Amino acid sequence: SPDGLTLGVTATDPDVLPQDSSPPTAEHIPETWTVGYDGQMWDAATGSLSQVEWDPRSLQPDDVIGVLVTLSEGELIFCN
C-alpha cells in the first residue's frame, strides 16, 4: 500500500538550497529528519531509514497529530 502521512523537520537554512529546483524528496535536504511513510523514520545522521512503532497508514479522520522536537529525545510523534 502507499506510504502514509510523513512529518519532518530540518536544521538546514533554506538559503543554502538550490533556488532553481526543489529536492525530489526530503532525504535530499541535509540535516533533515522525517517520520511516517509506512512506519519508518529517516535519520540524516545515519543516512538510513529505520522502523518505528507509529504507522500513519492507520490514521482515521479527525485524528490529531502532534510533533515535538527536543535535543534529548529527538522527534516525538503524538496521536490523539
Side-chain angles (χ1 to χ4, degrees):
S1 67
D3 287 344
L5 174 71
T6 300
L7 304 168
V9 296
T10 187
T12 299
D13 182 340
D15 291 336
V16 302
L17 298 174
Q19 298 298 316
D20 57 344
S21 66
S22 297
T25 61
E27 293 87 4
H28 291 89
I29 301 172
E31 297 184 87
T32 297
W33 296 265
T34 57
V35 63
Y37 309 98
D38 57 352
Q40 297 187 76
M41 177 190 85
W42 170 256
D43 183 348
T46 63
S48 64
L49 287 165
S50 59
Q51 289 296 126
V52 294
E53 292 181 25
W54 181 62
D55 188 335
R57 296 175 299 176
S58 65
L59 289 172
Q60 299 297 312
D62 298 321
D63 280 349
V64 176
I65 305 301
V67 178
L68 173 66
V69 179
T70 71
L71 292 175
S72 61
E73 298 294 326
E75 185 177 22
L76 304 173
I77 303 296
F78 301 91
C79 184
N80 297 320

